[in-house]
């Protein structure tokens, strides 16, 4: 907690200093009023970032105790409260400041809830007078590359917006932001699944030294197949129904370019999202350093590629740069590292996961027909075809994709639901 409070203070001080120079950060494409608004937003979000350090530590403690129901409930309530609180404020004319203000308020609320749960329910005690510098050195060595990974991830997913702000202005950033937000929603599906298995991964690393890699591979296959089943429904459904969603429900026709932006971000990201349990495995066996180096190179490549593409094609070009980096780093290099550097059987992993693709044949045929022949005139028609496509996907995957273990898991969940 001492370390995280120091990091929180450092983030706060650095953020507030950066907030003094909005023009240098966001470029000359923004008006004076937009720069003033950006400065206010930065200051609010700096507070939000500073609070996430202690809140994240407490959240990790809850996860370590495998109290996932409470953890997911808090997250779900936070997700639901965000639009419920922000939307009325937007209608009252408070603008983007209201949105980030609500986000920070929810962060404070989650922090207080986590403090109460950890101290009162889990009985966790903090001893600030027994600082162990030996443990500090071990934490520093282990955490440096985790921290580097986090920084690089933030750069990689945020750099496109900065590039667009410099070369195209706020309009292009807004379009890209819509596509990026949808990509974030898809990513949350995957991380919500893999994060639940983090304690099990660490248990295998601690207890199964002789048979560790085999167990890791088996667990990664089981989780990866479940992630494929969920993510391919979401991704393929977005290919078919996403354009109408963006232009008629999520935003307006002016944001039509957000559809190809979202596709360029979502589809290449399927590879790392399906196998992202591997990130937990890297951390458990202290082999996450290579990923940091690979992602650092990918971030540099993203910048180099995205600048000319953003100038030529706007938001779509910027997303193309990120897509190329994702395919090279996650599709090729990371899988080679898993296979030869960590001893995981990635050939068996992808052979098992891709065997589910037999179940994609019928949905692809139906999806192609919907895209080619159906024009949605109203939302009721749109929702009807979503239900039709979902049912086709479920039936096809059940009959041609899923194995006996996965069907038994579904049966178990259905019987539990009936009880």
């Amino acid at each position: 907690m001492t370390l995280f409070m120091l990091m929180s203070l450092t983030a706060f001080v650095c953020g507030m200093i950066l907030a003094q120079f909005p023009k240098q950060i966001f470029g000359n494409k923004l008006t004076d009023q937009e720069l003033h608004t950006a400065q206010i937003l930065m200051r609010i979000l700096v507070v939000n970032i500073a609070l996430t350090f202690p809140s994240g530590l407490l959240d990790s403690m809850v996860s370590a105790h495998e109290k996932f129901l409470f953890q997911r409930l808090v997250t779900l309530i936070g997700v639901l409260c965000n639009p419920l609180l922000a939307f009325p404020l937007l209608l009252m004319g408070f603008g983007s400041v209201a949105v980030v203000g609500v986000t920070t308020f929810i962060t404070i609320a989650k922090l207080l809830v986590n403090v109460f749960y950890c101290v009162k329910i889990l009985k966790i005690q903090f001893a600030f007078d027994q600082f162990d510098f030996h443990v500090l050195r071990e934490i520093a060595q282990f955490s440096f590359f985790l921290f580097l990974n986090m920084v690089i991830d933030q750069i990689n997913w945020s750099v496109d917006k900065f590039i667009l702000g410099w070369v195209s202005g706020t309009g292009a950033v807004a379009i890209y932001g819509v596509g990026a937000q949808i990509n974030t929603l898809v990513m949350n599906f995957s991380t919500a699944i893999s994060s639940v298995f983090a304690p099990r991964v660490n248990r295998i690393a601690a207890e199964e030294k002789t048979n560790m890699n085999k167990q890791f591979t088996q667990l990664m296959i089981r989780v990866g197949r479940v992630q494929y089943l969920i993510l391919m429904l979401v991704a393929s459904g977005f290919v078919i129904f996403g354009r109408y969603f963006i232009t008629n429900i999520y935003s307006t026709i002016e944001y039509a370019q957000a559809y190809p932006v979202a596709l360029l971000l979502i589809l290449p990201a399927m590879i790392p999202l399906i196998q992202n349990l591997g990130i937990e495995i890297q951390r458990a066996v202290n082999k996450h350093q290579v990923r940091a180096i690979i992602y650092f190179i990918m971030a540099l490549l993203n910048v180099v590629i995205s600048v000319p593409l953003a100038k030529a094609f706007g938001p779509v070009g910027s997303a193309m740069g990120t897509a190329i980096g994702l395919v090279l780093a996650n599709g090729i290099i990371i899988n080679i590292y898993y296979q030869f550097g960590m001893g995981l059987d990635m050939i068996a992993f992808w052979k098992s996961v891709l065997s589910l693709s037999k179940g994609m044949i019928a949905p692809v045929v139906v999806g192609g027909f919907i895209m080619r022949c159906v024009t949605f005139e109203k939302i009721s028609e749109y929702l009807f075809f979503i239900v039709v496509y979902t049912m086709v996907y479920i039936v096809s995957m059940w009959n041609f994709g899923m194995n006996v273990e996965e069907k038994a898991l579904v049966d178990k969940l259905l019987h539990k639901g009936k009880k």
Side-chain angles (χ1 to χ4, degrees), residues 13-53:
V13 172
C14 291
M16 286 301 178
I17 292 172
L18 285 172
Q20 295 298 111
F21 306 98
K23 192 170 185 178
Q24 287 79 0
I25 294 172
F26 296 106
N28 298 317
K29 297 288 184 179
L30 277 66
T31 65
D32 289 341
Q33 181 58 43
E34 288 172 337
L35 286 171
H36 177 67
T37 302
Q39 190 175 45
I40 296 172
L41 296 176
M42 280 191 70
R43 286 170 176 165
I44 297 173
L45 287 173
V46 163
V47 174
N48 183 67
I49 290 169
L51 292 174
T52 57
F53 281 95

Side-chain angles (χ1 to χ4, degrees), residues 125-183:
Q125 297 180 350
F126 297 94
F128 293 100
D129 59 339
Q130 299 176 22
F131 201 87
D132 190 332
F133 285 94
H134 175 70
V135 173
L136 173 61
R137 285 194 298 271
E138 291 184 0
I139 291 173
Q141 292 170 5
F142 178 81
S143 298
F144 172 75
F145 284 96
L146 288 181
F147 173 71
L148 192 59
N149 269 312
M150 292 170 61
V151 171
I152 293 168
D153 277 343
Q154 286 294 318
I155 293 171
N156 203 45
W157 289 113
S158 303
V159 70
D160 288 345
K161 296 177 185 178
F162 282 101
I163 291 171
L164 286 170
W166 275 93
V167 303
S168 302
T170 55
V173 175
I175 292 170
Y176 184 93
V178 172
Q181 181 64 32
I182 294 169
N183 177 54

Side-chain angles (χ1 to χ4, degrees), residues 81-92 94-95 98-100 102-103:
C81 285
N82 203 320
L84 290 175
L85 295 174
F87 188 63
L89 294 173
L90 287 172
L91 292 178
M92 294 166 63
F94 287 98
V99 176
V100 296
V102 167
T103 301

Side-chain angles (χ1 to χ4, degrees), residues 62-64 66-73 195-199:
V62 175
S63 178
E66 299 190 38
K67 303 297 183 181
F68 299 118
L69 180 61
F70 168 80
Q71 190 178 49
R72 298 300 175 221
L73 185 62
S195 61
V196 170
F197 290 91

Side-chain angles (χ1 to χ4, degrees), residues 15 22 107 109 121 124 132 182 206 238 258 273 303 318 332 336 364 391:
T107 300
I121 307 300
I124 293 171
D132 190 332
I182 294 169
F238 184 77
L273 292 180
V303 173
S318 195
I332 301 174
I336 292 173
V364 167
M391 295 306 298

